[in-house]
Every structure is written in structure tokens, then in C-alpha cells.
Amino acid sequence: MTTDSPGRVAVTVTGRLAALNAAGFLDGTDVVVAKRIARLVGEGEDDAVLALAFAVRAAREGSSALHLDAIARLTPRLPGGDAKDDADEVAEVTAPGDLADLPEPAAWLEAVQRSRLAAAGVLRVEFGLVQLDRYQQDEVLVANWLDRRSPDGLKGVDSGALEQGISGGGLNEAQAAAVRAVAARATTVLTGGPGTGKTWTVAALLRALRFADGSIPRVALAAPTGKAAARMNEALESRLGAGVFDPAVTIHRLLGPLPRTTTRFRHDRANPLPHDVVVVDEASMVGLGLMARLVDALSPETRLLLVGDPEQLASVEAGTVLADLVRGLGPHADVVELTENRRSVPAIQELARAVRSGEPEEVLAILEASHAEVRFIDTDQPTLADLVAVTEQARALRELAIAGDLSAAVARLSEARLLCGRRSGPHGIRRWNRLVEQALTEHAPEVAYQPFYLGRPLMVTRNDHGLGLSNGDTGVVVRGVDGNPLAAILTGQGIQTFSPWRLADVETMHAMTVHKAQGSEANDVTVILPPLISRLLTRELLYTATTRAKARLTVIGSREAIRAAVTTPIERSSALTERLLERAPIRGGTQR
């Protein structure tokens, strides 16, 4: 068969690959990659090639490993879609297709093990899972690195200064335990939901940690996105003051990307980072590949602190590293969990707990309880009239931009936020950005024809090392002192200003996807849930979206969509937890 439809096959294929492609279970990328690699290694076994195609699909959807016995539960995907959509865009499901012709899983796994693809190292089979070679190598690298970690090579800490810093830091017991853990161990994972004091704990660590010889540790602060780095800097500066710490940067910038590549860096095993402590915030957003590059660039003398919430949406790249580490390291007390929420209002806290517990009726009861802080609009056809806070935000941004108050305009971005599960379609950010702009044109006609109108909220969508901008940085167009438009962007190094015409990769941010919202918060958050048939409608999406709110939350979606989201956790497969648990006795001996 041949087809020109996006996401389908552009070459002739036959047999089960063709049938599964036509039914939407495999797309063109899966089939083309599998067929080409099979030809290169001389693989003629249909079952092995089929497993390779599904392994490619699994990686594309965020899994670093494939359970062959889980394939029968896969849903098909609609053909087509917008090729410009981000990796967080997933097509809606169609009616169930036919997967009856799949091999029996145990026999299928044996066929893969004896295949030329396995002999050539393209596919790896361990723990009853099938993996592409690159993900198996990265998992082994991370697991082996953790095995080698020992406190014996770490520089001694001034325990007196540490305890003095803890006692004066206003920490609860779990936060104090986390600070002590970083001092005593080579690797620590600090978890907890929004508002549980993770950043406060990092601030206490920066104040308290001193070496026994009196020297101050060299600390690197990093986050997976520019927005998360900026948020980390803002939060730490409010607690420590300006100039006390080196500003957080993206992990890519910390590692130093080499020219013309996104996967090779200046710092690696042969040229490790020169820091005594590396702190990574929003670690749930770090994919397997980047985590492998990071740990490979740490020397035995460097302490690593990973901070994040494993219940949030994982990286758009393959892997669930933070969740795997929590499951695999927990038995050895390398994980400290914070549970006391000090930020969100009680109703939002209750909602977050109910979503995490997977109890849809409890979630609905909280949403419908008429809390002043939580509002629920039961509809799958939202209108602009439902978005009062969002339209007020757009008008306020414009007024501040016209006044040329760039600091206030950038700060206003954190007052209200509209979050959507997807980019396109009736529930997507493109439509809502357009509708908000149409509402603005009633009072400001120039919004319709000026690409960089005053008050336009911006999000950077691609790293621009020349300008010092990172994917995820946010800002707003304001009036400059000369009267011309100026883009004020909040970066990891604070607010920077640019001519908007120099910004090559930005998009309007009256609405943003939930994925992009990770690492940020706002006082007033409005969430538009995807429709009931969407594969994006998951527990993690709802949890991540609702926990962005500090004071007020509006959830827009049908009751059926709420139930579907709460009862549908994301299924990502990985072998990293198994690798960590397999090595637990060895690692337990070295960590004590």
C-alpha cells in the first residue's frame, strides 16, 4: 500500500505492517525506520521487524522499553495531524482497531531474542522487555553511575554550620532530613507536590552547606527549561537575596552543547563539570537521554540533588527517570518526600490529593462543592465568556505594556493563566489565543494586524544561544522609551529586552499547553480539558494543570472527561527501575 497522508507510510509495505499502519496502530515513522534497519542487518523475520516498529512507536510516545504483552491494549491514532505540533501533541483516538493478528507475547519475545536485530544489538531484551539499543545503553549508564556513587569520595561538610543553618531555616522535619541527606550522600532525590517547600529546602541548603575546611561549595543550579530556571531563580532570590547564588541555567547550557548538535556536550566523563554540588529542579521533565548526559558529566566528588514531583507529566522525551529513581532508590533512603503543602489554598490541595489517589467521584465532589477558590464548568464546549480571568489578564497586560512598565507586565504573566491539553482543535491553544486576540480588537483594532502588538504575551519555542534565550522563556511586548515595541523576556538571568523582530521562534501565550506550564505557577489558573476521546486526557495532565494554581482554579470540561482523566494514568514503560532494584544490595552497601 502507499499513501501520502501525514503520519502514514510513504513507501510500499505489505503484510501485518501494512495492516497495522492502515488501522492507525503504527505510523509512517515506525514502519519506515523498522524496514530500513531490518534491511541493513539482513533481518527477514516478520515478528522481529514488527517488534522493532512497535519499539519505535513506544519511544516516540515516551517509553524507553516495550512490553510485548501490553501491545494488545494499544489504541489506534487518527491519520494526519499538524506536522508543526510539538511533541506533546497527540492525535485523538479512533474506534478500536484490529490487533488480533499479533503473535503470542512469550513466543514473540523468544523470536526477538534469536533475531538478527538482537544479534546486531539493535534490539535488546532484558527483564521481559524489548528496548532500542540507545535507551538500553542510557539506562545502563544511569544505573551503573548510581552503583559507583559513594560518599567516601565527597569533601567533608562542616556539621556545625549545617545544623546551625537547618535550625535557623524554618524547616520542618522532612526538609531538614533532605538538607542532611545532601550533606551525607552522593545522590539525593527530593520529591513533593507543588507548595511543599522543595525550593525553600534548596535555599536552606545553599545557606547551610559549608565544607569542613571553611570553603564554600561551588553549586550549579539547573532546570530542564528556561522557564523553570527563571522560576527557580525568582524563588531563590526571594529567600536569599540577589547575588548570593549563581543563577540557574538550563541543563543544556550547563553541559555546554557543541555546535550543530543537541546531544553532544562540552562536559562529559572526560571533561566533568567543576562543581561540588549540582541541583536540578523540575527533574520530572528530564528525559532519559539528557539525564544520562548529565550524570556522565559529574565527577565522583560532585553531589547531585534531583528535585521534582514524579506525579506530574513526564518529559516529552522518552523516559520516566524521576519516577524510576523514586521507585528504585526509595528502599535505600536516597529519596526524601515532602508532604506539607504551604502554598496552595486548602481546596486546591484537596483536589490534588484526590486526583493523585485516582478517585473520580471524590474529585467531582470537590469540584462541585462551591468552594470560593475552585470553580467547575461542566461543558465540553467552552466559550470566551467562561474565561473571565483570562480576558482580564489580556487587557491588563496591554495597559501595562502601553505604559512601558516592563517589570509589572512580566510580573502580570504570573497572575492568570489559561492551560489547554493540546495545541490544535476546539480545545487547543491556537483557537483560544485567536479568540482572546479577537476580543482585544474590540478596543484595540491594531491587535488584528500588528504581529508584535503591545501587550502580546510571548513564549520562546526554541533555544537561541545567540540571544541567550531558552525554549520556554516567557515575556511580553511593551512600549520602549523610544515608543517602539520591545520584547521583555524573563530568562534564567532575569528580564532581558530585545527588539521583537530579532525573535525567530516565539508564539503567543494567552493560552499555553499543560506541558509547557510545568515549572511555573499562577495565582488564577483556568484549565480547558481535552475532549473525552482524547488520548491526552490523563491523570497526570489533570494533576499537573490543577496544581499550577496558587489561589484560584477554574476547571472546564465534562464530568465524563473528569472521570476519564482521573482513572487513566499515563502508561510509560522503562527498565530503569528494574535495573536499580537489581543492583540494590550493592548500592545499599556503598551508601551507608
Side-chain angles (χ1 to χ4, degrees), residues 86 88 501 509:
D86 287 345
D88 62 359
W501 307 104
M509 200 192 71

Side-chain angles (χ1 to χ4, degrees), residues 161 214 260 448:
R260 297 180 294 278

Side-chain angles (χ1 to χ4, degrees), residues 116-135:
R116 291 190 177 185
L117 288 168
V122 175
L123 291 179
R124 305 284 186 172
V125 179
E126 291 183 90
F127 308 106
L129 301 167
V130 176
Q131 288 187 284
L132 297 173
D133 178 58
R134 61 174 286 195
Y135 299 116

Side-chain angles (χ1 to χ4, degrees), residues 187-350:
T187 304
T188 305
V189 179
L190 176 63
T191 73
T196 53
K198 298 188 295 295
T199 305
W200 187 278
T201 305
V202 173
L205 174 70
L206 297 179
R207 282 195 303 262
L209 192 60
R210 297 291 183 272
F211 287 137
D213 61 8
S215 62
I216 299 174
R218 295 167 297 177
V219 180
L221 304 174
T225 68
K227 182 170 72 281
R231 169 60 186 153
M232 189 181 191
N233 288 328
E234 179 185 6
L236 288 175
E237 186 171 320
S238 69
R239 292 162 175 79
L240 300 174
V244 177
F245 59 94
D246 291 334
V249 297
T250 63
I251 299 173
H252 277 84
R253 185 172 296 178
L254 177 67
L255 294 176
L258 296 176
R260 297 180 294 278
T261 178
T262 59
T263 58
R264 296 180 60 230
F265 299 93
R266 183 172 71 254
H267 290 289
D268 56 16
R269 191 175 307 181
N271 180 31
L273 289 164
H275 303 91
D276 300 301
V277 182
V278 171
V279 181
V280 177
D281 198 15
E282 297 294 342
S284 66
M285 299 165 61
V286 183
L288 174 62
L290 185 58
M291 185 65 77
R293 306 291 80 75
L294 173 64
V295 300
D296 201 40
L298 299 181
S299 74
E301 294 79 29
T302 300
R303 291 168 165 87
L304 175 64
L305 172 60
L306 298 175
V307 183
D309 183 355
E311 302 294 334
Q312 287 188 181
L313 287 165
S315 165
V316 296
E317 307 297 333
T320 53
V321 182
L322 183 65
D324 290 337
L325 293 181
V326 170
R327 289 188 292 264
L329 295 179
H332 296 279
D334 298 302
V335 179
V336 179
E337 182 181 9
L338 306 181
T339 58
E340 181 184 344
N341 191 310
R342 298 181 173 184
R343 186 181 70 198
S344 301
V345 297
I348 296 175
Q349 295 179 35
E350 291 175 17

